[in-house]
Short mmCIF file of all heavy atoms in Angstrom, two decimals:
data_model
loop_
_atom_site.label_atom_id
_atom_site.label_comp_id
_atom_site.label_asym_id
_atom_site.label_seq_id
_atom_site.Cartn_x
_atom_site.Cartn_y
_atom_site.Cartn_z
N VAL A 30 -137.17 -74.62 32.34
CA VAL A 30 -137.64 -73.40 31.69
C VAL A 30 -138.44 -73.81 30.46
O VAL A 30 -137.91 -74.47 29.57
CB VAL A 30 -136.46 -72.48 31.29
CG1 VAL A 30 -136.99 -71.25 30.56
CG2 VAL A 30 -135.67 -72.08 32.52
N LEU A 31 -139.69 -73.43 30.42
CA LEU A 31 -140.57 -73.78 29.31
C LEU A 31 -140.84 -72.56 28.44
O LEU A 31 -141.04 -71.46 28.95
CB LEU A 31 -141.90 -74.33 29.83
CG LEU A 31 -141.83 -75.60 30.68
CD1 LEU A 31 -143.21 -75.94 31.23
CD2 LEU A 31 -141.29 -76.76 29.88
N MET A 32 -140.84 -72.79 27.13
CA MET A 32 -141.16 -71.72 26.19
C MET A 32 -142.20 -72.21 25.21
O MET A 32 -142.15 -73.36 24.77
CB MET A 32 -139.89 -71.29 25.43
CG MET A 32 -138.93 -70.51 26.29
SD MET A 32 -137.27 -70.42 25.56
CE MET A 32 -136.66 -72.05 25.95
N ARG A 33 -143.16 -71.36 24.90
CA ARG A 33 -144.24 -71.77 24.02
C ARG A 33 -143.74 -72.06 22.61
O ARG A 33 -144.21 -72.96 21.93
CB ARG A 33 -145.31 -70.67 23.97
CG ARG A 33 -146.58 -71.09 23.23
CD ARG A 33 -147.65 -70.03 23.38
NE ARG A 33 -148.90 -70.45 22.77
CZ ARG A 33 -149.21 -70.25 21.49
NH1 ARG A 33 -148.34 -69.65 20.70
NH2 ARG A 33 -150.36 -70.65 21.02
N SER A 34 -142.76 -71.30 22.16
CA SER A 34 -142.13 -71.52 20.86
C SER A 34 -140.72 -70.98 20.94
O SER A 34 -140.36 -70.24 21.86
CB SER A 34 -142.91 -70.84 19.74
OG SER A 34 -142.92 -69.43 19.93
N ASP A 35 -139.88 -71.37 19.97
CA ASP A 35 -138.49 -70.91 20.01
C ASP A 35 -137.90 -70.93 18.60
O ASP A 35 -136.84 -71.49 18.37
CB ASP A 35 -137.67 -71.82 20.95
CG ASP A 35 -136.30 -71.23 21.28
OD1 ASP A 35 -136.19 -69.99 21.29
OD2 ASP A 35 -135.36 -72.01 21.53
N HIS A 36 -138.60 -70.30 17.66
CA HIS A 36 -138.15 -70.30 16.27
C HIS A 36 -136.79 -69.62 16.17
O HIS A 36 -136.58 -68.50 16.65
CB HIS A 36 -139.17 -69.57 15.39
CG HIS A 36 -138.82 -69.58 13.95
ND1 HIS A 36 -138.73 -70.74 13.20
CD2 HIS A 36 -138.53 -68.56 13.10
CE1 HIS A 36 -138.41 -70.44 11.96
NE2 HIS A 36 -138.28 -69.13 11.87
N ASN A 37 -135.84 -70.34 15.54
CA ASN A 37 -134.48 -69.84 15.39
C ASN A 37 -133.85 -69.47 16.73
O ASN A 37 -132.99 -68.59 16.81
CB ASN A 37 -134.43 -68.64 14.44
CG ASN A 37 -134.72 -69.04 13.01
OD1 ASN A 37 -134.42 -70.15 12.60
ND2 ASN A 37 -135.31 -68.12 12.24
N LYS A 38 -134.31 -70.11 17.79
CA LYS A 38 -133.79 -69.91 19.16
C LYS A 38 -133.92 -68.46 19.63
O LYS A 38 -133.12 -67.97 20.42
CB LYS A 38 -132.32 -70.36 19.22
CG LYS A 38 -132.13 -71.83 18.82
CD LYS A 38 -130.69 -72.27 18.96
CE LYS A 38 -130.55 -73.74 18.53
NZ LYS A 38 -129.17 -74.23 18.68
N ALA A 39 -134.98 -67.82 19.16
CA ALA A 39 -135.18 -66.40 19.49
C ALA A 39 -135.38 -66.18 20.98
O ALA A 39 -135.00 -65.14 21.51
CB ALA A 39 -136.38 -65.86 18.72
N PHE A 40 -136.01 -67.14 21.68
CA PHE A 40 -136.26 -66.97 23.11
C PHE A 40 -135.19 -67.65 23.96
O PHE A 40 -134.82 -67.15 25.03
CB PHE A 40 -137.64 -67.53 23.47
CG PHE A 40 -138.77 -66.80 22.80
CD1 PHE A 40 -139.42 -67.32 21.71
CD2 PHE A 40 -139.17 -65.55 23.27
CE1 PHE A 40 -140.45 -66.64 21.09
CE2 PHE A 40 -140.19 -64.86 22.66
CZ PHE A 40 -140.84 -65.39 21.56
N SER A 41 -134.70 -68.80 23.53
CA SER A 41 -133.74 -69.52 24.35
C SER A 41 -132.36 -68.88 24.33
O SER A 41 -131.66 -68.88 25.35
CB SER A 41 -133.63 -70.98 23.89
OG SER A 41 -133.14 -71.06 22.56
N ARG A 42 -131.95 -68.30 23.20
CA ARG A 42 -130.59 -67.76 23.11
C ARG A 42 -130.33 -66.65 24.14
O ARG A 42 -129.30 -66.69 24.84
CB ARG A 42 -130.31 -67.24 21.70
CG ARG A 42 -128.86 -66.78 21.51
CD ARG A 42 -128.60 -66.27 20.10
NE ARG A 42 -128.70 -67.35 19.12
CZ ARG A 42 -129.69 -67.46 18.24
NH1 ARG A 42 -130.67 -66.56 18.24
NH2 ARG A 42 -129.71 -68.45 17.38
N PRO A 43 -131.22 -65.65 24.29
CA PRO A 43 -130.95 -64.62 25.31
C PRO A 43 -130.89 -65.20 26.73
O PRO A 43 -130.09 -64.73 27.56
CB PRO A 43 -132.14 -63.66 25.17
CG PRO A 43 -132.65 -63.88 23.78
CD PRO A 43 -132.44 -65.32 23.50
N ILE A 44 -131.72 -66.21 27.02
CA ILE A 44 -131.68 -66.81 28.36
C ILE A 44 -130.37 -67.55 28.57
O ILE A 44 -129.75 -67.46 29.64
CB ILE A 44 -132.89 -67.74 28.56
CG1 ILE A 44 -134.19 -66.94 28.50
CG2 ILE A 44 -132.79 -68.49 29.88
CD1 ILE A 44 -135.44 -67.77 28.61
N LYS A 45 -129.91 -68.28 27.56
CA LYS A 45 -128.63 -68.98 27.68
C LYS A 45 -127.49 -68.00 27.90
O LYS A 45 -126.60 -68.24 28.73
CB LYS A 45 -128.37 -69.80 26.41
CG LYS A 45 -129.31 -70.98 26.21
CD LYS A 45 -129.04 -71.65 24.86
CE LYS A 45 -130.06 -72.73 24.57
NZ LYS A 45 -129.85 -73.36 23.25
N GLU A 46 -127.52 -66.89 27.16
CA GLU A 46 -126.47 -65.88 27.33
C GLU A 46 -126.49 -65.29 28.74
O GLU A 46 -125.43 -65.06 29.34
CB GLU A 46 -126.64 -64.78 26.29
CG GLU A 46 -126.37 -65.26 24.85
CD GLU A 46 -126.75 -64.23 23.80
OE1 GLU A 46 -127.38 -63.20 24.19
OE2 GLU A 46 -126.45 -64.45 22.61
N ALA A 47 -127.69 -65.08 29.27
CA ALA A 47 -127.80 -64.54 30.63
C ALA A 47 -127.32 -65.55 31.67
O ALA A 47 -126.68 -65.19 32.66
CB ALA A 47 -129.24 -64.13 30.91
N LEU A 48 -127.62 -66.82 31.45
CA LEU A 48 -127.13 -67.87 32.35
C LEU A 48 -125.62 -68.00 32.27
O LEU A 48 -124.95 -68.17 33.30
CB LEU A 48 -127.80 -69.20 32.00
CG LEU A 48 -129.29 -69.31 32.29
CD1 LEU A 48 -129.87 -70.58 31.67
CD2 LEU A 48 -129.56 -69.31 33.79
N ASP A 49 -125.07 -67.90 31.06
CA ASP A 49 -123.62 -67.95 30.89
C ASP A 49 -122.95 -66.81 31.64
O ASP A 49 -121.89 -66.99 32.27
CB ASP A 49 -123.25 -67.88 29.41
CG ASP A 49 -123.61 -69.15 28.65
OD1 ASP A 49 -123.73 -70.22 29.30
OD2 ASP A 49 -123.79 -69.08 27.42
N ALA A 50 -123.57 -65.62 31.59
CA ALA A 50 -122.98 -64.45 32.27
C ALA A 50 -122.92 -64.66 33.78
O ALA A 50 -122.03 -64.11 34.45
CB ALA A 50 -123.80 -63.20 31.93
N LEU A 51 -123.85 -65.45 34.33
CA LEU A 51 -123.86 -65.72 35.77
C LEU A 51 -123.11 -66.99 36.13
O LEU A 51 -123.06 -67.37 37.30
CB LEU A 51 -125.31 -65.81 36.27
CG LEU A 51 -126.14 -64.53 36.19
CD1 LEU A 51 -127.58 -64.81 36.64
CD2 LEU A 51 -125.53 -63.44 37.05
N GLY A 52 -122.55 -67.65 35.13
CA GLY A 52 -121.82 -68.89 35.40
C GLY A 52 -122.71 -70.07 35.76
O GLY A 52 -122.26 -71.01 36.42
N ILE A 53 -123.96 -70.03 35.31
CA ILE A 53 -124.91 -71.12 35.59
C ILE A 53 -124.92 -72.07 34.39
O ILE A 53 -125.23 -71.65 33.28
CB ILE A 53 -126.32 -70.57 35.86
CG1 ILE A 53 -126.30 -69.63 37.07
CG2 ILE A 53 -127.31 -71.71 36.09
CD1 ILE A 53 -127.63 -68.92 37.31
N ARG A 54 -124.60 -73.32 34.63
CA ARG A 54 -124.57 -74.30 33.55
C ARG A 54 -125.95 -74.92 33.39
O ARG A 54 -126.73 -74.98 34.33
CB ARG A 54 -123.50 -75.35 33.82
CG ARG A 54 -122.12 -74.76 34.03
CD ARG A 54 -121.09 -75.83 34.28
NE ARG A 54 -120.36 -76.14 33.05
CZ ARG A 54 -119.43 -77.09 32.96
NH1 ARG A 54 -119.19 -77.86 34.01
NH2 ARG A 54 -118.80 -77.30 31.83
N TYR A 55 -126.21 -75.40 32.20
CA TYR A 55 -127.55 -75.91 31.89
C TYR A 55 -127.43 -76.99 30.82
O TYR A 55 -126.43 -77.08 30.10
CB TYR A 55 -128.45 -74.77 31.36
CG TYR A 55 -127.82 -73.98 30.25
CD1 TYR A 55 -127.91 -74.41 28.93
CD2 TYR A 55 -127.09 -72.83 30.53
CE1 TYR A 55 -127.32 -73.70 27.92
CE2 TYR A 55 -126.48 -72.11 29.52
CZ TYR A 55 -126.59 -72.55 28.21
OH TYR A 55 -125.98 -71.87 27.20
N SER A 56 -128.44 -77.81 30.72
CA SER A 56 -128.49 -78.78 29.63
C SER A 56 -129.31 -78.18 28.51
O SER A 56 -130.33 -77.53 28.74
CB SER A 56 -129.11 -80.10 30.10
OG SER A 56 -130.48 -79.95 30.38
N ASP A 57 -128.86 -78.39 27.29
CA ASP A 57 -129.50 -77.83 26.11
C ASP A 57 -130.13 -78.97 25.32
O ASP A 57 -129.42 -79.85 24.83
CB ASP A 57 -128.46 -77.10 25.27
CG ASP A 57 -129.07 -76.37 24.09
OD1 ASP A 57 -130.25 -76.64 23.77
OD2 ASP A 57 -128.35 -75.55 23.48
N PRO A 58 -131.45 -79.00 25.15
CA PRO A 58 -132.08 -80.10 24.42
C PRO A 58 -131.68 -80.17 22.96
O PRO A 58 -131.87 -81.18 22.30
CB PRO A 58 -133.58 -79.81 24.57
CG PRO A 58 -133.67 -78.36 24.83
CD PRO A 58 -132.44 -78.02 25.61
N ASP A 59 -131.09 -79.07 22.43
CA ASP A 59 -130.64 -79.08 21.05
C ASP A 59 -129.23 -79.64 20.90
O ASP A 59 -128.75 -79.82 19.78
CB ASP A 59 -130.66 -77.66 20.47
CG ASP A 59 -132.08 -77.10 20.38
OD1 ASP A 59 -133.01 -77.91 20.20
OD2 ASP A 59 -132.23 -75.88 20.50
N ALA A 60 -128.55 -79.91 22.03
CA ALA A 60 -127.14 -80.30 21.97
C ALA A 60 -126.95 -81.59 21.19
O ALA A 60 -126.02 -81.71 20.38
CB ALA A 60 -126.57 -80.43 23.38
N VAL A 61 -127.82 -82.58 21.42
CA VAL A 61 -127.67 -83.86 20.73
C VAL A 61 -127.91 -83.70 19.23
O VAL A 61 -127.14 -84.21 18.40
CB VAL A 61 -128.62 -84.92 21.33
CG1 VAL A 61 -128.59 -86.20 20.49
CG2 VAL A 61 -128.24 -85.23 22.77
N GLU A 62 -128.96 -82.96 18.87
CA GLU A 62 -129.24 -82.74 17.45
C GLU A 62 -128.10 -81.99 16.78
O GLU A 62 -127.72 -82.31 15.64
CB GLU A 62 -130.55 -81.97 17.28
CG GLU A 62 -131.79 -82.82 17.52
CD GLU A 62 -133.06 -82.07 17.15
OE1 GLU A 62 -132.98 -81.11 16.36
OE2 GLU A 62 -134.13 -82.45 17.66
N ASP A 63 -127.55 -80.99 17.48
CA ASP A 63 -126.43 -80.24 16.91
C ASP A 63 -125.23 -81.15 16.70
O ASP A 63 -124.53 -81.05 15.68
CB ASP A 63 -126.06 -79.07 17.82
CG ASP A 63 -127.15 -78.00 17.87
OD1 ASP A 63 -128.02 -78.00 16.97
OD2 ASP A 63 -127.14 -77.19 18.81
N MET A 64 -124.98 -82.03 17.66
CA MET A 64 -123.85 -82.94 17.55
C MET A 64 -124.04 -83.92 16.39
O MET A 64 -123.12 -84.18 15.62
CB MET A 64 -123.67 -83.70 18.86
CG MET A 64 -122.51 -84.69 18.86
SD MET A 64 -122.33 -85.52 20.45
CE MET A 64 -123.85 -86.47 20.49
N LEU A 65 -125.26 -84.44 16.25
CA LEU A 65 -125.53 -85.40 15.18
C LEU A 65 -125.56 -84.74 13.81
O LEU A 65 -125.49 -85.44 12.80
CB LEU A 65 -126.86 -86.11 15.43
CG LEU A 65 -126.92 -87.01 16.67
CD1 LEU A 65 -128.29 -87.65 16.80
CD2 LEU A 65 -125.83 -88.08 16.63
N ALA A 66 -125.67 -83.42 13.77
CA ALA A 66 -125.67 -82.72 12.49
C ALA A 66 -124.27 -82.40 11.99
O ALA A 66 -124.11 -81.99 10.84
CB ALA A 66 -126.48 -81.42 12.61
N GLU A 67 -123.25 -82.60 12.81
CA GLU A 67 -121.88 -82.34 12.37
C GLU A 67 -121.53 -83.30 11.24
O GLU A 67 -121.84 -84.50 11.31
CB GLU A 67 -120.91 -82.49 13.54
CG GLU A 67 -121.09 -81.43 14.61
CD GLU A 67 -120.05 -81.55 15.72
OE1 GLU A 67 -119.06 -82.30 15.51
OE2 GLU A 67 -120.23 -80.93 16.77
N PRO A 68 -120.90 -82.82 10.18
CA PRO A 68 -120.65 -83.65 9.00
C PRO A 68 -119.96 -84.98 9.30
O PRO A 68 -120.35 -86.02 8.75
CB PRO A 68 -119.78 -82.75 8.12
CG PRO A 68 -120.19 -81.36 8.49
CD PRO A 68 -120.47 -81.41 9.96
N ALA A 69 -118.94 -84.98 10.17
CA ALA A 69 -118.24 -86.23 10.47
C ALA A 69 -119.17 -87.24 11.13
O ALA A 69 -119.19 -88.43 10.78
CB ALA A 69 -117.03 -85.95 11.36
N ASN A 70 -119.96 -86.78 12.09
CA ASN A 70 -120.89 -87.68 12.77
C ASN A 70 -121.98 -88.16 11.82
O ASN A 70 -122.43 -89.31 11.89
CB ASN A 70 -121.52 -86.98 13.97
CG ASN A 70 -120.51 -86.70 15.07
OD1 ASN A 70 -119.50 -87.40 15.18
ND2 ASN A 70 -120.77 -85.69 15.88
N ARG A 71 -122.40 -87.28 10.93
CA ARG A 71 -123.46 -87.65 9.99
C ARG A 71 -122.94 -88.70 8.99
O ARG A 71 -123.64 -89.65 8.66
CB ARG A 71 -123.94 -86.39 9.27
CG ARG A 71 -125.11 -86.55 8.35
CD ARG A 71 -126.26 -87.31 8.89
NE ARG A 71 -126.83 -86.82 10.11
CZ ARG A 71 -127.94 -87.29 10.68
NH1 ARG A 71 -128.57 -88.32 10.12
NH2 ARG A 71 -128.39 -86.81 11.80
N ARG A 72 -121.71 -88.55 8.53
CA ARG A 72 -121.11 -89.56 7.65
C ARG A 72 -121.00 -90.90 8.37
O ARG A 72 -121.28 -91.96 7.79
CB ARG A 72 -119.73 -89.11 7.18
CG ARG A 72 -119.74 -88.06 6.08
CD ARG A 72 -118.33 -87.57 5.80
NE ARG A 72 -117.42 -88.67 5.49
CZ ARG A 72 -116.10 -88.59 5.60
NH1 ARG A 72 -115.54 -87.46 6.05
NH2 ARG A 72 -115.34 -89.61 5.28
N MET A 73 -120.61 -90.85 9.62
CA MET A 73 -120.48 -92.08 10.40
C MET A 73 -121.84 -92.77 10.54
O MET A 73 -121.97 -93.98 10.31
CB MET A 73 -119.91 -91.76 11.78
CG MET A 73 -119.74 -92.97 12.69
SD MET A 73 -119.43 -92.52 14.40
CE MET A 73 -121.03 -91.84 14.89
N LEU A 74 -122.88 -92.01 10.88
CA LEU A 74 -124.21 -92.59 11.06
C LEU A 74 -124.73 -93.20 9.75
O LEU A 74 -125.29 -94.29 9.74
CB LEU A 74 -125.19 -91.52 11.55
CG LEU A 74 -125.08 -91.10 13.01
CD1 LEU A 74 -126.01 -89.92 13.27
CD2 LEU A 74 -125.42 -92.25 13.94
#
């Protein structure tokens, strides 16, 4: 799924919610960045 822009996840969030409602799993390109932004992981890095 391609989006021209996604400021503050304005376009991706509704699609993710709709996929969740249908039980369709997906990979999120923001998942790694979100994980690395967690304070414990950031202190470790």
Side-chain angles (χ1 to χ4, degrees):
V30 177
L31 299 175
M32 287 164 283
R33 188 173 184 272
S34 63
D35 192 30
H36 183 63
N37 291 330
K38 302 183 180 181
F40 296 103
S41 63
R42 185 180 293 109
I44 296 177
K45 292 175 186 178
E46 293 171 351
L48 291 170
D49 289 337
L51 294 177
I53 300 173
R54 304 181 98 183
Y55 50 85
S56 69
D57 185 346
D59 295 330
V61 173
E62 285 188 21
D63 292 342
M64 180 178 66
L65 295 180
E67 293 184 13
N70 293 335
R71 185 48 56 174
R72 283 174 55 201
M73 180 193 70
L74 285 173

